Amino acid sequence: MSDVDEKTRVTSILATKQEPVGGRGDCLVTIYAKESSQLGKRYVLEVTPTMIGRGHDNHVVLDSDSVSRRHCQIERQGATWVAADNRSTNGTYVNDEQISSPKRLFSGDRIKIGPTIFKYLSGSDVEALYHEEIYRITIIDGLTGAHNKRHLEEALEKEITRARRYARDLSCIMFDVDHFKKINDVHGHLAGDYVLKELARVVRERLRGEEIFARYGGEEFCIVAPETPLEGMRVLAEDIRRRVAEAEFVFQGERISCTISCGVAVLGAGDKDGQSLVKSADEKLYVAKRSGRNKVCA
């Protein structure tokens, strides 16, 4: 259940033949990376083209096996910036679509290169947009769009206080992707990232606004539902399990089989904090995995 150990390094090597075009503050911001220290880093687009790749002569160096030596470039065309793939092995993606020709960028577009996701920010309010993005990074997982573990832990403590005060149920689902390592090994880590993102989309379609959905770590996720008894949460978990099993996961024309195992628990008298509730659901998750996977245990 651990992320792939891939690191991102940034350099500021500028070739003299490149044309300086700075002044607007247009930039790329790292919103997802395997190394958390890279999150929120901003790279102002000051020269054209700005090169991105594994080679040390790039402006942005991404040290990953899934990134080509000269993977892609961000270049100025008139008043706009475009992303262009340099015949990379694994492709460059803008808003989850692989690009085959230069793609004009609009503020808010997401650029995925190997395991790293950047957001392109542009406009007169780019500084405000950047600070909004920094805040978003503190609560949202950049790959899946689900909340992150930090937000989950903070929200869970508030919900436990409310549940105790008003004597109401509070239930939790812990689930993870069955045989996720095999998906990565057979289809590649980019396919694994796609599965996690698409899985999160399928789950969000089933949830209500008051339910908290977060990526707990790796391929493990958590759902917390206020005022929901154990049986109601078990029904929700079973419906989500079924939806995932029936969903189409197709990456680069290849269908990927995906199922999940779920553990369900309700806040008990002996649960002192959020970690206790999560642990109870996690124990049930491992019962589901040991008893065959693709099932719900409560």
Side-chain angles (χ1 to χ4, degrees):
M1 298 185 182
S2 62
D3 286 334
V4 180
D5 184 19
E6 294 178 300
K7 298 181 179 179
T8 302
R9 296 197 307 275
V10 179
T11 65
S12 56
I13 301 172
L14 303 181
T16 56
K17 66 181 180 180
Q18 293 170 319
E19 174 191 354
V21 295
R24 294 187 57 192
D26 296 351
C27 61
L28 302 179
V29 180
T30 307
I31 63 171
Y32 182 76
K34 298 299 184 181
E35 200 172 65
S36 61
S37 62
Q38 299 301 317
L39 292 176
K41 283 191 174 289
R42 171 166 56 173
Y43 314 116
V44 178
L45 298 171
E46 296 179 317
V47 296
T48 182
T50 294
M51 307 301 300
I52 305 174
R54 195 174 70 246
H56 293 280
D57 55 344
N58 291 280
H59 295 86
V60 180
V61 179
L62 302 179
D63 189 7
S64 166
D65 290 341
S66 57
V67 176
S68 297
R69 191 182 72 81
R70 283 251 171 166
H71 195 102
C72 71
Q73 61 192 50
I74 310 298
E75 60 185 18
R76 192 82 168 179
Q77 289 188 1
T80 64
W81 290 94
V82 301
D85 185 74
N86 292 330
R87 297 183 179 179
S88 65
T89 302
N90 292 303
T92 301
Y93 293 79
V94 176
N95 299 329
D96 298 323
E97 292 188 6
Q98 186 171 356
I99 60 174
S100 56
S101 58
K103 174 76 172 180
R104 180 181 176 183
L105 297 176
F106 295 89
S107 189
D109 282 350
R110 294 157 56 101
I111 305 166
K112 191 171 191 296
I113 303 165
T116 304
I117 302 175
F118 300 99
K119 181 171 280 191
Y120 168 70
L121 300 180
S122 176
S124 59
D125 58 345
V126 68
E127 192 67 22
L129 292 174
Y130 170 68
H131 289 289
E132 287 176 9
E133 201 58 43
I134 291 300
Y135 170 71
R136 180 178 170 82
I137 288 169
T138 66
I139 63 172
I140 299 293
D141 174 61
L143 175 65
T144 64
H147 284 103
N148 59 25
K149 185 177 179 180
R150 173 182 172 182
H151 175 81
L152 170 71
E153 291 173 342
E154 293 176 354
L156 191 51
E157 294 310 317
K158 293 177 182 178
E159 292 299 338
I160 286 180
T161 299
R162 187 176 293 113
R164 297 288 192 208
R165 179 182 301 159
Y166 298 107
R168 294 172 178 170
D169 288 319
L170 180 66
S171 295
C172 174
I173 300 171
M174 292 293 291
F175 70 88
D176 73 3
V177 181
D178 296 327
H179 303 295
F180 187 66
K181 183 178 184 300
K182 183 178 179 181
I183 292 175
N184 281 329
D185 291 346
V186 173
H187 302 283
H189 295 293
L190 295 183
D193 284 351
Y194 161 80
V195 167
L196 294 178
K197 180 178 175 64
E198 187 66 9
L199 168 67
R201 183 193 65 78
V202 171
V203 173
R204 276 196 302 270
E205 289 180 347
R206 175 60 177 81
L207 299 180
R208 299 173 297 177
E210 64 270 22
E211 292 162 342
I212 304 162
F213 175 45
R215 185 182 181 188
Y216 197 73
E219 71 272 25
E220 190 169 20
F221 295 82
C222 179
I223 300 170
V224 175
E227 301 184 36
T228 303
L230 182 64
E231 179 57 23
M233 203 61 160
R234 189 197 65 76
V235 170
L236 173 61
E238 178 58 36
D239 189 33
I240 290 173
R241 183 208 62 76
R242 178 186 57 78
R243 286 170 180 250
V244 172
E246 294 175 354
E248 290 276 338
F249 294 87
V250 180
F251 182 73
Q252 294 183 342
E254 192 171 5
R255 193 181 189 285
I256 302 171
S257 176
C258 178
T259 62
I260 60 173
S261 297
C262 307
V264 183
V266 66
L267 184 67
D271 291 321
K272 298 180 180 180
D273 54 26
Q275 285 299 313
S276 297
L277 176 57
V278 168
K279 182 180 178 181
S280 296
D282 211 34
E283 289 172 350
K284 294 297 185 181
L285 164 60
Y286 280 97
V287 171
K289 293 179 78 69
R290 288 194 298 268
S291 58
R293 294 183 170 84
N294 191 21
K295 60 174 58 179
V296 175
C297 287

